[in-house]
């Protein structure tokens, strides 16, 4: 549990440094903090829509040059 708390603190500190003006608004509850931490530490695999969006983005970038 201590290791997880250290990770949560690191993630929170990173978030505060990146978004100081809205940090308290975004992660206002313990539930929000847990959801945020879990999403960072256990990301889901990309679904078909995300893979298609990534492919389209790559094609757009390639054709923009």
């Amino acid at each position: 549990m201590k290791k997880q708390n250290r990770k949560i603190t690191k993630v929170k500190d990173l978030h505060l440094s990146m978004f100081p003006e809205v940090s308290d608004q975004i992660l206002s509850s313990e539930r929000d903090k847990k959801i945020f931490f879990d999403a960072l530490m256990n990301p889901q695999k990309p679904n078909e829509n995300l893979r298609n969006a990534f492919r389209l983005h790559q094609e757009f970038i390639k054709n923009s040059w």
Side-chain angles (χ1 to χ4, degrees):
M1 185 68 171
K2 288 183 181 183
K3 187 176 183 180
Q4 184 177 9
N5 286 340
R6 284 194 301 267
K7 287 181 181 180
I8 291 171
T9 300
K10 285 182 181 182
V11 170
K12 183 179 177 185
D13 290 345
L14 175 62
H15 185 266
L16 283 169
S17 69
M18 293 171 60
F19 309 103
E21 66 282 354
V22 296
S23 184
D24 289 338
Q25 297 169 10
I26 294 173
L27 299 176
S28 59
S29 72
E30 289 301 317
R31 180 179 174 269
D32 292 342
K33 293 173 189 173
K34 181 177 179 348
I35 291 170
F36 180 76
F37 176 77
D38 288 344
L40 288 177
M41 299 309 292
N42 304 305
Q44 296 179 356
K45 291 183 180 180
N47 63 21
E48 187 66 28
N49 288 337
L50 183 58
R51 288 192 298 271
N52 286 337
F54 181 75
R55 182 182 49 76
L56 290 172
H57 176 72
Q58 285 182 312
E59 289 175 15
F60 174 78
I61 297 298
K62 180 181 173 183
N63 293 329
S64 296
W65 293 96

